Amino acid sequence: MSRKLLLLAASVAFLVGAASIANAADIIDPPVIDLPEPVMPVEHVAKGGWYIRGDVGYSMQGDVDAEYVTTAAGLIGSGLLRGQLKDNYSIGAGIGYDTGNYLRVDLTADYFTKSNFNGSSVGTCTPVGGGAPIACATTDTQSLNALSIMANAYIDLGKFNGFTPYVGAGIGGTHVKWGTLYNDFDQTVVTNPDETHPGAANWRFTYAVMAGASYDVSDCVAIDAGYRYRKIEGGKMFGVGSAGTTGPAHDKGMASHDFRVGARYKFGGGNCGGGSHVPDYQPDYQPVYK
């Protein structure tokens, strides 16, 4: 066999071998890599709904000033009564709507238990044994009950592990009912008789600001604890006294610091109206490595 034929045969054999190796490589399947399922963010759709609420509270009262007249025909401002209301308690209920987008509104009614008033006033009295009038002080006691009806709005500031802090404000009216005022003189010093004054009752403009936090016990129930500053405008406090020498009087209003705890129950279908009013935070997509 000539040299050229040998080279041609060798070339053909090399090409056939290379083709066989390529076909064998095609038959082997590529390795399977087990990739984890991607972690997708959980979509939480906030839903609103109606709710009812109930609260109990402790109300810290403050000073009360009142102007009174010295005679039934006098002018307001001729005398000044000063005193302090004792702390009292409250119980309340309301109905509201959670918009599901950080905003809640409700209408509430709160009854405040009796708060005792202790005060004093300074005037002119007739001394025992006669003589020129002298300055004297009286001891004044009275009591107060109140009912507040308020329209309120709250802004929820986000949800953190089930807790939702909030701020709010409200306006409305308070029915203030003063009891009988007892005006006592020191009878060992002066001859002026003790007086009683009929208490006044009236509605007064009221505003409030609030702050607090709620905690979701379930989709239906949240417990709530908060602080409220409440300001009641002034109004008539008592009428003309039994001796006919003093009254009427108008107080200059009162303020209280209310600390309340309560619960809200959401209703309206689904999971009590559909879950939380604030979307839960979900982390961005994070790959999982094995």
Side-chain angles (χ1 to χ4, degrees):
M1 182 178 294
S2 68
R3 184 176 181 180
K4 290 182 179 181
L5 290 176
L6 289 174
L7 288 175
L8 179 60
S11 298
V12 170
F14 175 78
L15 293 175
V16 171
S20 299
I21 293 173
N23 289 333
D26 290 339
I27 295 173
I28 299 174
D29 293 331
V32 177
I33 301 175
D34 185 15
L35 295 176
E37 293 292 330
V39 178
M40 302 300 292
V42 177
E43 182 179 359
H44 183 95
V45 180
K47 297 181 180 179
W50 291 95
Y51 64 85
I52 55 176
R53 65 179 298 163
D55 303 276
V56 294
Y58 180 76
S59 185
M60 298 177 62
Q61 306 293 335
D63 297 334
V64 175
D65 291 342
E67 292 181 331
Y68 63 90
V69 298
T70 56
T71 66
L75 298 175
I76 295 177
S78 58
L80 182 63
L81 168 65
R82 288 183 171 176
Q84 186 175 44
L85 281 167
K86 299 297 184 180
D87 298 346
N88 60 348
Y89 298 92
S90 67
I91 181 170
I95 185 169
Y97 186 76
D98 184 343
T99 66
N101 191 24
Y102 302 97
L103 176 66
R104 291 183 290 114
V105 293
D106 60 30
L107 181 68
T108 58
D110 293 279
Y111 173 75
F112 293 85
T113 60
K114 183 173 73 173
S115 176
N116 292 321
F117 171 80
N118 295 301
S120 63
S121 56
V122 176
T124 301
C125 300
T126 302
V128 173
I134 61 173
C136 62
T138 65
T139 299
D140 304 287
T141 57
Q142 199 172 7
S143 64
L144 175 148
N145 295 87
L147 173 67
S148 282
I149 298 178
M150 305 286 291
N152 311 287
Y154 312 86
I155 297 177
D156 293 329
L157 303 178
K159 181 175 288 188
F160 308 92
N161 296 322
F163 288 92
T164 304
Y166 64 84
V167 295
I171 59 172
T174 298
H175 186 261
V176 175
K177 179 177 175 56
W178 285 103
T180 300
L181 174 75
Y182 296 93
N183 189 225
D184 298 324
F185 293 86
D186 186 352
Q187 301 294 334
T188 64
V189 178
V190 301
T191 61
N192 295 59
D194 294 340
E195 287 190 85
T196 59
H197 297 257
N202 43 67
W203 283 96
R204 307 182 185 188
F205 175 74
T206 304
Y207 66 88
V209 291
M210 295 85 77
S214 63
Y215 179 76
D216 289 341
V217 178
S218 68
D219 288 334
C220 307
V221 179
I223 57 176
D224 188 303
Y227 163 79
R228 175 176 64 183
Y229 173 80
R230 188 169 51 99
K231 176 66 170 138
I232 301 173
E233 295 300 305
K236 188 175 181 180
M237 185 176 184
F238 56 81
V240 179
S242 56
T245 58
T246 57
H250 289 72
D251 67 70
K252 298 180 179 180
M254 58 208 74
S256 66
H257 302 277
D258 305 333
F259 299 90
R260 301 185 299 166
V261 294
R264 301 196 306 268
Y265 177 79
K266 184 183 288 188
F267 58 93
N271 293 328
C272 304
S276 170
H277 54 273
V278 179
D280 291 333
Y281 170 76
Q282 299 292 341
D284 295 335
Y285 166 75
Q286 298 291 337
V288 177
Y289 300 98
K290 291 186 178 180

